[in-house]
Amino acid sequence: MSTLVAARPSVGRSKSRRPASAPRWLVSSGALVVAVLAWGIASAVVDDNIAPGPLEVLERVVDITVSGAALDNFASSIVKILAGFGLAMLAGLPIGFAMGRSRFLSSYFSMPLFVLGNVPGLTYAVFGLVIFGVGATGPIVVSALVAVPFVAINVAEGVRSVDGKLLRMCQAFGRSPADVVRHVYLPAITAFVFVGVRYGFAMAWKVEALTEVFGARDGVGFMIRRAYQEFQVADMLAWTTLFVVAMVLIERGLAALESRLFAWRKDLA
Amino acid sequence: MASIDISGLVKDYHDRAGNRTRVLDGIDLSITGETFVSIVGPSGSGKTTLLNIVSGIESHTAGNVSLRAGDRDARVGYVFQDPRLLPWRTVDQNLSFVQHDRDGWAERAQHYLDLVGLGHLGDRFPAQLSGGQQQRVGIARAFSVEPDILLMDEPFSHLDAMTSRTLREHLERIWLESRRTVMFVTHDVTEAVQLSDRIVVLAPGGHVHETIEVDLPRPRRASDPAVAVLQAEVLARFEVLEARAAAARAEVPA
């Protein structure tokens, strides 16, 4: 958990000028194509059911998507993660705010949060099953526990980042404490919380999927386990592919939302 | 009519070892009506501390400070050394944030933004403005609350000479139009002469050294001969005070 707090959101990013080269997306796509080709060749060499080729997996991806199973199971997983994340925000916001304002509480909470953030995902998954049994509660609680440290520590950083000069400006203009929280603290924290949400979400989803493998009746993790039990390797890979695609889309969506929300950071062009 | 009344004002700071440093030592000062008063003084004479106490940002050790407008408490506007704008709010939203009186604030904000030449930039974020433009927003913000009293803490000290000269002209023009009671802290004697009706010189140790009345016609330009003569005279007196302060500092054993 070395990167609970990502780099401080930079104010006024400027575009660096580099010599003209191939666009980044082209290079990344190239890497993907090379990897898929290598997979295709390896699969052809092995020529066995345990190593289905990319085309076979793609076919399964299309089937799963068209049948509606992908939407049902992703919706089920995402609802659980969102519920867990909601709980994490409820706990993480006040804890982070307290940590940002008080050195004592910062010391008090730092170890429990460190432990929460460093417990292996598998432990969460197993305990989720033992304590809550098969069902939705385990994955929800587990994703909440995984996300709390990300939220709390980033909120604390956000509170610490609030400029004392701005607070004195508010005092000089006679602003109420409610105004100060709404217009100074919350916007300052939002940038940091967003970083916490992006990292925490990715983390929470991985652990949530793992929890579904052990104790769920639906969801992406559950589908991967079912494919495994039926020795459907192509299905396992198809679900994994869908999982990765969904994560990339969500990450990109959050990044786009971030640049909209934080338009104020843009420098004078 | 607005007034700032300060009597017997004392401010002490205590370090961790309990040693006391007296920053302001019995200041008596009264500013009444449509007067522009500058507070000048060498470093360490307590100018900014005085302004912070008047605005309520800092507490004081002894004495009285009263800011009145007729029979009610005065409304105060403040211009800081740095702009202190909320970076996540647009220029318009920054002005909106400080309003006590929501009625007609948009027109007031637009009016003062127009006066500082930024009427067309209300939807920009502070990071999209230059330092001089941000400071102009700070000035418009202070005027937009229709303050009875305006407090200014070296508002042009972080700007280049050209920009600060332009902003001084903006400030004088707005002040001539709106005529507030102004307390303006500066270390720049020429600026004080150009803008003020009265200059209060603080001495090291935090007491009033002398008060200079500036009776020159407005608007004033830095290049006006009468302004230049008075600037030279005040500067000469100020230099004597600074030399005395430096000598006093040198005498204090380290």
Side-chain angles (χ1 to χ4, degrees):
Chain A
M1 199 183 66
S2 55
T3 53
L4 266 188
V5 185
R8 282 171 89 86
S10 61
V11 173
R13 289 177 203 164
S14 57
K15 286 180 187 166
S16 58
R17 293 187 184 281
R18 290 184 194 153
S21 59
R24 245 182 85 179
W25 66 267
L26 200 63
V27 179
S28 321
S29 310
L32 191 65
V33 169
V34 169
V36 172
L37 278 178
W39 170 17
I41 292 166
S43 158
V45 170
V46 173
D47 193 20
D48 190 293
N49 275 346
I50 61 153
L55 282 176
E56 196 183 331
V57 171
L58 182 66
E59 230 170 77
R60 292 302 302 140
V61 167
V62 172
D63 287 349
I64 290 168
T65 309
V66 170
S67 71
L71 188 66
D72 289 349
N73 286 287
F74 273 99
S76 161
S77 292
I78 286 173
V79 165
K80 283 180 243 172
I81 294 165
L82 287 180
F85 229 87
L87 289 176
M89 294 292 271
L90 279 180
L93 276 171
I95 291 175
F97 203 85
M99 287 174 74
R101 299 283 294 170
S102 149
R103 201 175 288 178
F104 171 80
L105 289 172
S106 182
S107 309
Y108 183 87
F109 282 112
S110 66
M111 187 50 82
L113 290 175
F114 180 79
V115 171
L116 272 187
N118 278 291
V119 169
L122 187 63
T123 312
Y124 277 124
V126 173
F127 271 97
L129 179 64
V130 169
I131 297 170
F132 300 104
V134 175
T137 316
I140 289 174
V141 172
V142 162
S143 38
L145 287 175
V146 170
V148 161
F150 285 91
V151 175
I153 289 176
N154 280 288
V155 167
E157 277 298 307
V159 170
R160 289 188 199 111
S161 78
V162 170
D163 186 352
K165 287 180 172 181
L166 286 183
L167 298 178
R168 284 190 288 282
M169 180 275 289
C170 296
Q171 199 182 349
F173 280 99
R175 297 295 82 196
S176 68
D179 275 342
V180 175
V181 167
R182 186 173 153 216
H183 294 280
V184 182
Y185 277 108
L186 285 183
I189 292 169
T190 309
F192 286 85
V193 168
F194 215 90
V195 172
V197 167
R198 278 179 70 180
Y199 282 76
F201 200 85
M203 198 71 183
W205 203 5
K206 282 186 217 164
V207 177
E208 195 269 346
L210 193 60
T211 312
E212 284 175 347
V213 167
F214 292 98
R217 294 191 190 90
D218 53 10
V220 182
F222 171 75
M223 295 310 287
I224 291 175
R225 187 192 67 174
R226 205 172 74 173
Y228 161 75
Q229 283 174 333
E230 294 168 359
F231 297 107
Q232 300 290 333
V233 182
D235 274 14
M236 280 170 62
L237 289 175
W239 280 106
T240 307
T241 306
L242 285 167
F243 183 85
V244 171
V245 169
M247 281 197 72
V248 169
L249 288 179
I250 288 172
E251 162 68 19
R252 284 293 143 90
L254 285 173
L257 186 64
E258 188 178 12
S259 71
R260 265 181 67 101
L261 272 178
F262 304 117
W264 55 268
R265 284 194 207 146
K266 280 179 192 151
D267 260 339
L268 190 62
Chain B
M1 191 165 65
S3 66
I4 303 173
D5 284 300
I6 301 167
S7 60
L9 183 67
V10 173
K11 173 69 181 176
D12 293 335
Y13 286 117
H14 296 272
D15 63 16
R16 285 189 176 184
N19 301 315
R20 190 192 73 178
T21 307
R22 181 149 289 187
V23 188
L24 295 175
D25 189 11
I27 300 276
D28 294 308
L29 181 62
S30 180
I31 306 172
T32 308
E34 300 167 349
T35 317
F36 197 121
V37 174
S38 287
I39 311 289
V40 299
S43 300
S45 55
K47 307 184 290 287
T48 296
T49 306
L50 175 62
L51 201 68
N52 284 343
I53 291 171
V54 169
S55 70
I57 293 177
E58 274 191 62
S59 63
H60 52 283
T61 309
N64 285 310
V65 177
S66 135
L67 281 71
R68 303 289 296 170
D71 53 1
R72 62 174 170 84
D73 287 339
R75 181 179 291 174
V76 175
Y78 204 121
V79 183
F80 301 89
Q81 276 181 25
D82 42 357
R84 301 199 188 182
L85 304 174
L86 301 175
W88 37 77
R89 298 281 185 259
T90 62
V91 168
D92 282 340
Q93 290 166 338
N94 265 284
L95 267 61
S96 160
F97 173 62
V98 297
Q99 303 301 318
H100 300 265
D101 183 1
R102 307 299 303 176
D103 287 343
W105 79 265
E107 290 75 27
R108 279 202 307 277
Q110 188 61 45
H111 173 68
Y112 287 108
L113 284 175
D114 284 339
L115 281 179
V116 295
L118 297 177
H120 58 299
L121 297 180
D123 58 350
R124 295 281 182 93
F125 288 104
Q128 296 170 312
L129 305 177
S130 69
Q133 287 173 324
Q134 290 185 23
Q135 194 61 330
R136 279 193 267 168
V137 175
I139 293 170
R141 174 177 64 186
F143 275 97
S144 73
V145 300
E146 302 273 293
D148 305 301
I149 292 169
L150 192 61
L151 306 175
M152 306 179 90
D153 183 13
E154 303 193 36
F156 311 131
S157 62
H158 289 178
L159 303 171
D160 62 81
M162 282 296 287
T163 311
S164 58
R165 202 179 76 175
T166 312
L167 287 197
R168 276 200 294 274
E169 286 168 12
H170 276 297
L171 175 62
E172 190 185 30
R173 205 177 62 232
I174 303 173
W175 182 78
L176 284 172
E177 192 204 89
S178 61
R179 293 283 185 174
R180 311 286 169 192
T181 305
V182 177
M183 189 168 164
F184 183 94
V185 163
T186 178
H187 63 271
D188 183 341
V189 172
T190 58
E191 183 171 273
V193 171
Q194 194 187 339
L195 290 169
S196 315
D197 299 312
R198 200 190 331 156
I199 300 171
V200 175
V201 183
L202 292 189
H207 58 267
V208 176
H209 174 71
E210 65 176 323
T211 300
I212 302 163
E213 299 294 334
V214 183
D215 191 14
L216 295 173
R218 290 179 187 272
R220 300 170 190 160
R221 298 188 67 85
S223 53
D224 284 349
V227 172
V229 167
L230 188 59
Q231 278 172 340
E233 187 190 322
V234 175
L235 202 55
R237 282 147 82 169
F238 193 72
E239 277 169 355
V240 170
L241 184 66
E242 272 198 320
R244 262 192 239 156
R249 276 199 297 272
E251 275 175 25
V252 175

